[in-house]
Every structure is written in structure tokens, then in C-alpha cells.
Amino acid sequence: MNNIFSNATDMSSQRSLLRALGWTDDEIKKPLIGIICAQSEIIPGHMHLDDIAKAAAEGVISAGGKPVIVPSIGVCDGIAMGHAGMRYSLPSREIIADSAEILIRAHGFQAAVFVGNCDKIIPGMLMAAARVDVPSIFVSGGPMLAGRVRGKKTSLSTMFEVVGAYNAGKADEKTLKNYECNACPTCGSCSGMFTANSLNCLCEALGMALPFNGTLPMVYSQRLALAKRTGVAVMNLLEKNIRPSDIMTAQAFKNAETVDMAIGASTNTILHLLAVANEAGVEGVNIDIMNEISRRTPNLCRLAPAGEHYIEELNEAGGISAVMKELYDANLIDGEVMTAGGIKLKEVIKDAENLDENIIRPVSDPYSAQGGLAVLKGNLAKEGCVVKKSAVDPSMYVHSGPAKCFDGEEQAMLAISSGKIVKGDVVVIRYEGPKGGPGMREMLTPTSAIVGAGLGADVALITDGRFSGATRGAAIGHVCPEAAAGGVIGIVRDGDIIDIDINNSSINLRVPQEEIEKRLKEFKPKLREASGYLKRYRNSVTSASKGAVFEK
């Protein structure tokens, strides 16, 4: 397993540079293992990733490898929320994938440990792992502990909703400050089943991470031990030549999507799983098959924002392995797939146990017979759109109401905060898609404002943008085609009736087809001013129905 620099005389010049780093003869001969680490001082979930990376490096050294820690960028979605910075969140995924590919290929790394934690970082790293296809494994920083306000557990999603309540005159400044100071009490990814934790859990389901990667809190010492085991595991993968292409197979993606539906993960997972499958060259992973999987998968977990439980409680209940054991015993996932532990999934979960059926419902007694996510289609979204069904009040599963249309998040927020949105309305926010944004911003601020104003069970919101995993309510995102691409969402007018039927996976504009065609013929999509990377992103990005990947 010697590296490309170890013996050949024509690599003497390269070895001289390794010696400039202080490497010994012994180190130069060992397999080079890249540890791609996204540590930074701006993202709470990345605050201590350097400790995780060092622990993973210790594991690599103990198993005979030479670890090399290199960086990755990252964007904190929560901090970027509600202003122009959010336009850079989804686009950062492509930069993360590209930079990891460059680092691994340019320096001859024989294997990789990916150390990330938050929203776009994990999927970007998964895309890179699929692309370079060297033996790879993931270890996240882990979730933060839930906050506590007046004895009740809380999280970032509650924080945003309290802001909405304050703006609606339903909460005072003292209450707002109390939540601000206590909602996020430790470092780590935000404590509910939001996008970051969803992706870290799905790394286990895909087979790309060891058990408890998705649920062990960042502040637990067990997280460091997990990182050390991860470092050892990557050396085993290298020795056995087990690559991401051996792990991230079509069946593994089906397993991941099944777990996705069972745990009621973020709607962003659909966007990212499509993108990772695209990089892996796995065919058949599309929004239609996701609906099929949802229809046969019971929803077993309802964590915040869909329920009152948090990731730390899922960890105590047995973690994702316990969820997968429930699904495996019901013949809903394939146990024969390979994992980054070097063993088949059925071996990984054989001793897993559901320790709390209030947190992980058994398949025989689920929250609902169908999964936590749903893809809707109709004349308003021919390519589909996505809703987190488990976070929607059942009274809103079927809803018809008049549209109130806004060309961007800011316009919508002005209307919501000034009381112009009333019961029964369907808020339409457009020109927030991958091209229209550009960047496909998350709409957590307007959805939280609606919930905070007490309208969460009465008002729907649809957008060609997307939602934070912290969003709850009848929030329907990823409407495709988007307005900037000439989609029907761009020609909706105030007062048009929109029919939403989540039970039957449909969303339609109640306007005669002839009128729709007439409007489309006269429609000239708007394009916002864009410069720098966002301009290049807009010119390259595809539809959200394809994962918002770049054109190939």
C-alpha cells in the first residue's frame, strides 16, 4: 500500500517537499490518507472539527497510515438566513465537491476521511467521494444538545418562530432574548432533524459512515472515539480496496431514501441525494421513485420541527442503526449492501436495539403508514415539488386557497409582517430557484413568521426556492420548473386558486389550460443582477428536479 511518492527515483523532487514538511522516511513510505476537514470559527457545527480530524488522524496512524489534514469551506445556513448570504449556501456545495476532488487528486491521496457537519458540506463531500472513488469514509462533528427555555427543550427552529411571534405582537422582548440566549446551548449542528443532521444520519444509511455518526452529540467524548475508529476503518477500506462505488450502489440509495422517509428528514435531502447519485453514476434515483418509497415506508420518528423530540433522544433510543433494524426486520431495506465498516449492513445492525418506542416507533405502530416526505406534481409543478408531510398539520393535507404572489423572499416578509396574509391564503414566493435566486435560498424566515403569527395550520407557502430542515407547516418547495426557467409558478396571479392535495401527491393551479398557455406565451421571466460566482452558477446549474447539479 505504498504511496506514489515512496520509491521511484523520479519522485525525488516531490519527496524533498514532503521532507520540507518534516516528514520522516517511514512516513513518506506509508499510505497517504487525506482528511478533508471543514473546521471554521463561524459555523457552530464546525467549531471543534479540528479535534475530530485529529482524532481521525490518530486512528489512521494506529492502523499504519500517514494522515494529512486539509481544509474545506463551509456556509452556516442559519447565519446566512434571511439576507443575501443565503444565495451562496447551495452553490457552495459545488465548490466543496470540486475542492475536495482537487485536493485528493493533486496530492495523490490513496484514501480519504471526510470531516464535516452542516448542510451543504456533507452532500458536497459525498459528491466528491463518489467522483474520485478512492476508499472513503465520513465522520461528522455531531449535533448540539437541545436548548432549554422555562424547562422545555427547544432549538433553532423555535428561535425563528419566536422571532415571528415577536413581530406579530405575540411575544415580548424579554421572551425573545431568553430564547436567543438559550436555544443553541452548545457547539454542534442544530439539534433537530434539520438538514445537517438529516444528511449525517443518511451517511449511515448509505453505508458511508460508522454507527452513531448522525446522532452522537458533538460535546460527548464518544464522538472522539468514533473519529478514531473511523480512522482505523479507512485503512481497512484501503487494504480491501472497498470504494464508494462499492458502497453507494442503487440499492444503497434506496436504503437511504427509505430511512429518509422513516425519520422524516429535511426536504433538502431529496435535492442532495439526487446530486450524489448523479455523481455516482447511479441510475433510477429520481423524485418519482422517492414517492414510491414514501408510499411503502412508515414514518417512525418525529423529531423537531415535526415533533417534540431531538437528535440527542434519537441517539439514546439506539440511533439510526435501531431505525434501520426496524426497517430491515420488516423487509423494507436491503441488508446485503456493503458499508464503510467493511462489512454488510445486516452485520452492522444485527445487535441494534430500539430502546425507546416513544422516539423510534415500531413498524407495527408508526406515526403514519407513509413516509415523512412527499413529492407533489401537477400543472403548477410538472417536474415536481417537495413537502415535509410529517411537519404539516393534517388539516392542511388538502387545501385550496387564493394565491398571494411575491417576486422574492423580501416582498413576502413585508406582507407577512404587516398582517396582509390571512387564513386560507397560499403564499407564492418565486424567483428563488437555482437560476432565479440565483442560489435557491431557504425560506425559513417567512415560514417561521407564518407559524409565529399563529397561521401555521391555516396558510400554505409554495416556492421555487427551498426550505430549511427547521421549517414546519404546509411549506412546499423546489417547485419545478422554476419561474426563471419559464415555469408555471411565474404566471400565477393574485387571487388564482391553488389546489394542494398532499395525500394524493398533487398540486394544481385552478386556471383553464388555455389561459395557462396564453399567460406562458406572454411571459418573460425575470433575471436578477448577478456577478462573480453566482453569475457563473446561474449559467451552469440545472433544475432542482435533477438535484441542482451543474450541466455536464
Side-chain angles (χ1 to χ4, degrees):
M1 292 195 295
N2 286 353
N3 63 68
I4 62 173
F5 306 113
S6 59
N7 293 315
T9 55
D10 61 359
M11 287 290 171
S12 292
S13 299
Q14 288 83 347
R15 287 197 297 274
S16 72
L17 291 169
L18 298 180
R19 294 183 190 283
L21 294 169
W23 291 18
T24 65
D25 286 343
D26 184 51
E27 287 177 308
I28 290 173
K29 292 177 183 178
K30 290 179 179 179
L32 296 185
I33 312 300
I35 299 181
I36 318 297
C37 176
Q39 191 275 336
S40 76
E41 294 184 352
I42 191 61
I43 305 176
H46 291 199
M47 181 177 174
H48 292 319
L49 285 188
D50 51 346
D51 293 333
I52 304 298
K54 289 174 185 175
E58 289 181 34
V60 169
I61 292 169
S62 72
K66 171 58 181 173
V68 183
I69 299 175
V70 293
S72 171
I73 67 162
V75 171
C76 178
D77 279 21
I79 295 173
M81 198 74 66
H83 60 91
M86 178 48 72
R87 299 194 194 284
Y88 287 90
S89 174
L90 181 60
S92 74
R93 186 187 70 184
E94 313 309 309
I95 296 290
I96 291 162
D98 290 348
S99 62
E101 174 194 356
I102 290 167
L103 285 164
I104 292 168
R105 293 295 192 206
H107 299 106
F109 296 153
Q110 292 157 272
V113 178
F114 290 89
V115 183
N117 211 30
C118 292
D119 302 74
K120 307 310 152 310
I121 293 87
I122 296 300
M125 289 177 167
L126 282 168
M127 290 165 69
R131 191 184 299 171
V132 299
D133 203 32
V134 299
S136 301
I137 191 169
F138 282 65
V139 58
S140 76
M144 67 173 64
L145 297 178
R148 286 187 180 272
V149 176
R150 296 172 182 166
K152 185 178 180 181
K153 286 186 176 181
T154 188
S155 69
L156 183 67
S157 63
T158 314
M159 181 70 248
F160 271 89
E161 290 172 12
V162 172
V163 172
Y166 174 79
N167 290 334
K170 296 178 180 292
D172 60 24
E173 191 169 345
K174 183 179 179 181
T175 298
L176 182 66
K177 184 75 172 187
N178 193 9
Y179 275 91
E180 178 184 325
C181 294
N182 293 289
C184 300
T186 73
C187 59
S189 50
C190 297
S191 56
M193 188 55 78
F194 312 148
T195 305
N197 292 326
S198 295
L199 266 298
N200 288 329
C201 290
L202 293 188
C203 278
E204 291 186 51
L206 263 177
M208 290 298 292
L210 300 181
F212 295 100
N213 173 73
T215 57
L216 261 175
M218 191 175 206
V219 295
Y220 285 9
S221 297
Q222 293 174 62
R223 175 63 62 179
L224 296 175
L226 173 63
K228 292 175 184 178
R229 292 197 300 274
T230 300
V232 173
V234 79
M235 295 302 296
N236 180 54
L237 292 174
L238 181 60
E239 182 178 356
K240 294 181 178 179
N241 194 30
I242 299 173
R243 300 169 180 265
S245 56
D246 301 310
I247 297 171
M248 290 195 286
T249 61
Q251 197 54 53
F253 276 98
K254 289 181 181 178
N255 282 354
E257 194 50 52
T258 301
V259 172
D260 197 0
M261 299 301 173
I263 63 177
S266 164
T267 53
N268 283 318
T269 57
I270 291 184
L271 194 72
H272 298 316
L273 286 174
L274 289 169
V276 177
N278 176 72
E279 288 288 356
V282 175
E283 297 181 355
V285 180
N286 54 53
I287 58 175
D288 294 319
I289 195 169
M290 291 175 179
N291 247 0
E292 292 175 20
I293 291 171
S294 180
R295 280 192 283 268
R296 66 172 181 256
T297 304
N299 180 214
L300 306 183
C301 301
R302 290 225 171 145
L303 281 70
E308 299 298 319
H309 302 300
Y310 292 84
I311 295 293
E312 63 198 62
E313 295 169 79
L314 177 59
N315 184 69
E316 293 161 5
I320 295 301
S321 290
V323 175
M324 290 194 287
K325 185 66 160 55
E326 289 280 353
L327 297 170
Y328 177 71
D329 288 345
N331 295 314
L332 291 170
I333 60 173
D334 187 344
E336 297 297 324
V337 295
M338 181 54 66
T339 72
I343 57 177
K344 292 182 177 180
L345 180 64
K346 65 181 181 182
E347 294 299 315
V348 172
I349 63 175
K350 67 178 182 180
D351 295 323
E353 185 179 356
N354 184 352
L355 301 175
D356 190 338
E357 293 187 354
N358 291 316
I359 309 298
I360 305 171
R361 290 277 189 91
V363 170
S364 59
D365 183 30
Y367 280 103
S368 63
Q370 296 187 352
L373 301 179
V375 174
L376 315 182
K377 283 190 172 183
N379 66 5
L380 189 53
K382 290 185 177 180
E383 295 175 9
C385 54
V386 186
V387 63
K388 188 167 184 174
K389 182 179 179 180
S390 60
V392 178
D393 189 293
S395 67
M396 290 292 288
Y397 284 176
V398 179
H399 178 77
S400 295
K404 286 190 177 173
C405 304
F406 306 95
D407 293 345
E409 177 185 2
E410 289 79 6
Q411 285 187 14
M413 277 303 301
L414 284 173
I416 297 167
S417 60
S418 60
K420 293 179 181 178
I421 304 303
V422 298
K423 289 184 178 183
D425 283 346
V426 178
V427 177
V428 178
I429 304 179
R430 55 200 176 197
Y431 294 106
E432 292 288 4
K435 289 183 181 293
M440 204 177 185
R441 288 192 291 181
E442 291 183 341
M443 302 288 114
L444 178 58
T445 304
T447 55
S448 297
I450 288 170
V451 172
L455 295 171
D458 302 290
V459 169
L461 188 153
I462 69 170
T463 180
D464 50 11
R466 59 195 179 90
F467 295 110
S468 164
T471 288
R472 65 187 177 104
I476 299 166
H478 309 192
V479 172
C480 299
E482 62 175 295
V488 172
I489 189 173
I491 55 95
V492 179
R493 296 175 180 172
D494 286 349
D496 286 346
I497 301 300
I498 294 175
D499 297 316
I500 299 166
D501 188 342
I502 296 174
N503 290 327
N504 291 303
S505 304
S506 71
I507 183 167
N508 287 285
L509 179 64
R510 197 191 298 175
V511 170
Q513 185 60 33
E514 299 81 10
E515 173 63 16
I516 291 176
E517 291 174 3
K518 178 176 178 290
R519 292 186 194 179
L520 286 173
K521 189 174 292 186
E522 298 169 350
F523 179 44
K524 292 182 179 179
K526 302 175 184 177
L527 281 181
R528 283 195 180 92
E529 286 288 326
S531 61
Y533 178 54
L534 288 184
K535 186 174 183 179
R536 285 184 278 132
Y537 180 83
R538 182 176 67 195
N539 293 339
S540 301
V541 73
T542 60
S543 168
S545 65
K546 297 180 180 179
V549 296
F550 280 176
E551 295 279 3
K552 289 190 175 181

